[in-house]
Amino acid sequence: MTMVAALSLLPVSRFRPSCKFCSKKSVGGKGGLRVFAVFGEEGNNGSVDKKSNWGAIFHVDVPRPRVQPSNGKFLDAYQALEVARMDIQYCDWRARQDLLRIMLLHDKVVEVLNPLAREFKSIGTMKKDLAELQGELEQAHTQVHISEARVATALQKLAHMEALVNDRLLQERSSSESTSECPTLTPSTSSTSSNPMRSKSRQRSLNVAGPVQPYHPSLKNFWYPVAFSSDLKDDTMLPIDCFEEPWVIFRGKDGNPGCVQNTCAHRACPLHLGSVNEGRIQCPYHGWEYSTDGKCEKMPSTRMLNVQIRSLPCFEHEGMIWIWPGSAAPTAALPSLQPPPGFMIHAEIVMELPVEHGLLLDNLLDLAHAPFTHTSTFAKGWSVPSLVKFLTPASGLQGYWDPYPIDMEFRPPCIVLSTIGISKPGKLEGKSTRQCSTHLHQLHVCLPSSRQKTRLLYRMSLDFAPLLKHVPFIHMLWRHFAEKVLNEDLRLVIGQQDRMINGENVWNFPVSYDKLGVRYRLWRNSLEKGAEHLPFTIQDN
Ligand code: FES
Ligand SMILES: [Fe+2]
């Protein structure tokens, strides 16, 4: 796809010379630049070099475009970048001219006030000369301010061009890895923008704006981990919201977990307010009891009826409780989320967060924000790299961060796995994860609870210091640290969510380090559109 950038070709150089230090000969020909300076007195051919030693500073060629302006107003990204480069070059030249003009005016003031010259001039003449010079200086200062504004605009334009070129590079690289990565997406909600920068890049942008839409049914057809096994004792009930429906998980008589609707069939009382008796959940209102498959097995004080509440396929696997909330038949195999061999699990933490799960995933799949956001926790003291990249050598949804020793993977439908090379907790070292001798492995599961609520399951494992696990109250320390890190993100993501609901696109301007987050969105969009083959995944079902 040829990227085009709608860039106005109006030259930045429309300054009209108005003072006696300017004009005489045009540079650049018809339609070219018309800004130039003549040094020295009016009517003289004097130059800076004659009058002063400023030549080295001001001897700069007037910039000329390398790209010929096209009659149409659309340029490709490289041409547009070249135009932006010329803008900057021109600004540099213009600034030098402005400075020169002020310096020459300063010389003239000195000259007018020269005691020797004063002897030959009347007071009236001197006043007139000084008043003229004052006017010239005012003009020169105005010109400096115009140049300032022009520099700011040129820099903005350059940044935009750079983003376009980076995007293009990203796209070219991605398309060689997956032919299905096409960032032109139909928005899930619509938003119109008056922002010209946004409209220029619209065709490259994702559009994630507006109120969170109802979850697409196809997103439900996955196995979702919803709890850690260790949190589900024989007599506990875990209420969870999943895709905007309330469920409750408890263990049956055989010890296996079950997941039933958290609403009593009798009069809709929340079941998790009751208790578990002999593998049945008992409603606290009138005592009806349900087994893990949702069948009502006891109805005290009345004639027994055939009543059943909804239940979901529910299994325990590798220390987690999994459910299948979709209407399609569950896949045969439950995924594995175990840390790699050699790691020991040190913390399992569950948090209910007031953000849509996609926004949380976007955040977790982004590392470039760390030195700006996590300045009180793990990224304290990190320098800001000149370039952050996410490289995906193996498959489309997993890779590693450069320059950080961190491997990361998005595992559909809502899971992020990462391995971080460390020397001691909180300190990064080395250039790649493998070069580090000790590692931290993280699992983040972002369960879509409701449109603005996520149930986050976090598991942290280490491949060193196994004894840490036995330090009293260490789990409290891990929890404190995890919450502190998350709170640094959360205030930002909640702010994004507010803006998104009011119509802002949270993926307005993706750049190269947003690759993994963008791919997650592309994957999700394809799924919700019912695509036969989802991008970046090897489908085994
Ligand atoms: S509401 Fe549950 S038993 Fe009456
Ligand atoms: Fe973060």
Side-chain angles (χ1 to χ4, degrees):
M1 188 173 84
T2 307
M3 184 190 308
V4 290
L7 191 93
S8 163
L9 256 184
L10 285 175
V12 290
S13 48
R14 290 298 188 217
F15 172 68
R16 251 177 285 129
S18 60
C19 74
K20 57 179 105 172
F21 300 107
C22 302
S23 88
K24 287 302 173 195
K25 51 185 179 179
S26 169
V27 184
K30 196 179 177 184
L33 300 173
R34 291 184 181 280
V35 181
F36 41 86
V38 175
F39 310 122
E41 298 283 324
E42 186 176 17
N44 261 345
N45 286 330
S47 72
V48 172
D49 295 327
K50 273 187 188 170
K51 300 229 16 137
S52 67
N53 294 322
W54 298 333
I57 302 173
F58 298 110
H59 184 67
V60 175
D61 288 342
V62 180
R64 292 178 179 81
R66 285 184 211 157
V67 176
Q68 287 309 310
S70 61
N71 289 332
K73 289 193 176 174
F74 293 93
L75 303 176
D76 76 19
Y78 292 107
Q79 285 177 318
L81 192 61
E82 175 56 21
V83 171
R85 184 201 62 78
M86 204 193 76
D87 279 6
I88 297 282
Q89 222 181 337
Y90 171 76
C91 287
D92 175 62
W93 181 84
R94 179 68 260 170
R96 288 167 200 261
Q97 301 309 308
D98 292 340
L99 184 59
L100 170 66
R101 189 175 163 200
I102 289 171
M103 291 165 94
L104 289 175
L105 282 165
H106 176 263
D107 276 3
K108 288 206 79 178
V109 172
V110 172
E111 209 173 282
V112 169
L113 296 175
N114 183 329
L116 280 174
R118 276 196 314 224
E119 285 181 20
F120 301 98
K121 282 186 180 172
S122 69
I123 298 284
T125 309
M126 275 179 63
K127 265 188 171 175
K128 187 170 162 271
D129 286 353
L130 285 173
E132 268 179 26
L133 285 170
Q134 192 179 12
E136 294 279 356
L137 269 168
E138 275 167 14
Q139 275 186 23
H141 279 130
T142 305
Q143 188 56 47
V144 167
H145 289 309
I146 292 169
S147 290
E148 265 176 6
R150 196 173 267 149
V151 167
T153 309
L155 284 173
Q156 261 182 13
K157 206 182 280 180
L158 191 65
H160 178 57
M161 293 301 107
E162 192 179 39
L164 284 175
V165 170
N166 281 345
D167 258 12
R168 182 175 180 166
L169 291 175
L170 175 65
Q171 187 196 10
E172 281 167 0
R173 229 177 293 140
S174 301
S175 63
S176 67
E177 291 165 11
S178 165
T179 51
S180 54
E181 182 175 9
C182 172
T184 310
L185 293 170
T186 310
S188 53
T189 57
S190 63
S191 77
T192 44
S193 167
S194 56
N195 181 345
M197 292 297 234
R198 188 189 295 179
S199 57
K200 279 174 195 170
S201 60
R202 179 175 290 283
Q203 61 190 335
R204 290 281 307 122
S205 301
L206 297 163
N207 196 343
V208 182
V212 181
Q213 296 300 297
Y215 285 107
H216 195 277
S218 55
L219 202 55
K220 298 182 183 177
N221 291 324
F222 288 90
W223 283 110
Y224 282 86
V226 291
F228 293 110
S229 296
S230 53
D231 290 333
L232 190 65
K233 313 286 184 230
D234 282 347
D235 57 352
T236 53
M237 296 156 291
L238 291 177
I240 60 155
D241 285 342
C242 183
F243 291 108
E244 303 192 87
E245 287 187 284
W247 301 94
V248 59
I249 294 160
F250 63 101
R251 289 191 188 276
K253 216 168 182 180
D254 56 4
N256 290 325
C259 178
V260 300
Q261 73 176 54
N262 191 7
T263 306
C264 182
H266 179 215
R267 289 181 56 201
C269 180
L271 292 173
H272 79 276
L273 300 176
S275 57
V276 175
N277 293 326
E278 298 176 339
R280 290 185 299 270
I281 190 163
Q282 185 186 53
C283 177
Y285 215 165
H286 308 92
W288 292 19
E289 291 187 17
Y290 303 89
S291 58
T292 50
D293 62 0
K295 184 156 179 43
C296 185
E297 294 186 338
K298 281 196 176 179
M299 277 184 201
S301 316
T302 188
R303 188 165 58 89
M304 186 72 190
L305 297 169
N306 187 15
V307 172
Q308 177 120 19
I309 56 174
R310 291 172 60 213
S311 65
L312 294 176
C314 180
F315 290 93
E316 189 163 21
H317 173 62
E318 294 180 346
M320 301 180 97
I321 312 295
W322 298 69
I323 62 169
W324 180 277
S327 55
T331 52
L334 285 155
S336 178
L337 298 178
Q338 286 286 80
F343 281 80
M344 181 183 271
I345 295 169
H346 283 255
E348 290 180 335
I349 295 164
V350 180
M351 291 181 236
E352 303 285 348
L353 306 174
V355 289
E356 196 270 336
H357 88 289
L359 289 177
L360 191 63
L361 282 168
D362 291 342
N363 170 269
L364 292 168
L365 295 170
D366 165 27
L367 197 63
H369 73 274
F372 301 97
T373 305
H374 297 291
T375 49
S376 300
T377 54
F378 70 90
K380 193 174 184 174
W382 283 19
S383 57
V384 178
S386 56
L387 189 65
V388 176
K389 285 181 283 185
F390 184 74
L391 303 157
T392 51
S395 92
L397 293 171
Q398 66 182 59
Y400 59 91
W401 286 95
D402 179 23
Y404 301 115
I406 297 178
D407 297 349
M408 192 175 274
E409 177 186 355
F410 167 67
R411 181 83 62 87
C414 64
I415 294 157
V416 181
L417 295 154
S418 53
T419 305
I420 302 162
I422 49 173
S423 52
K424 54 184 176 177
K427 301 276 179 205
L428 289 169
E429 76 167 21
K431 286 210 160 188
S432 77
T433 318
R434 274 191 215 138
Q435 284 174 305
C436 298
S437 53
T438 53
H439 304 86
L440 178 149
H441 184 267
Q442 296 188 111
L443 162 72
H444 289 90
V445 178
C446 301
L447 181 72
S449 294
S450 68
R451 286 186 229 180
Q452 286 178 50
K453 217 173 103 190
T454 300
R455 179 176 168 88
L456 174 69
L457 272 60
Y458 172 71
R459 187 161 70 188
M460 190 274 285
S461 313
L462 300 172
D463 65 355
F464 62 100
L467 293 180
L468 266 182
K469 198 169 171 152
H470 305 292
V471 172
F473 305 113
I474 187 79
H475 63 283
M476 290 172 73
L477 190 71
W478 292 130
R479 185 171 189 101
H480 170 75
F481 190 70
E483 283 179 350
K484 202 171 170 191
V485 171
L486 204 70
N487 284 334
E488 287 178 317
D489 288 315
L490 213 50
R491 66 192 186 96
L492 311 182
V493 180
I494 289 171
Q496 279 183 300
Q497 181 168 264
D498 286 346
R499 277 147 185 76
M500 179 185 80
I501 289 168
N502 287 320
E504 291 295 332
N505 180 6
V506 294
W507 275 111
N508 191 41
F509 221 118
V511 294
S512 53
Y513 54 64
D514 293 318
K515 188 178 192 177
L516 192 53
V518 166
R519 288 187 173 198
Y520 156 62
R521 289 291 177 174
L522 294 170
W523 171 85
R524 186 168 159 185
N525 272 296
S526 295
L527 179 82
E528 292 180 346
K529 277 184 189 165
E532 211 165 298
H533 298 290
L534 297 175
F536 319 115
T537 54
I538 303 158
Q539 287 172 289
D540 53 4
N541 52 359

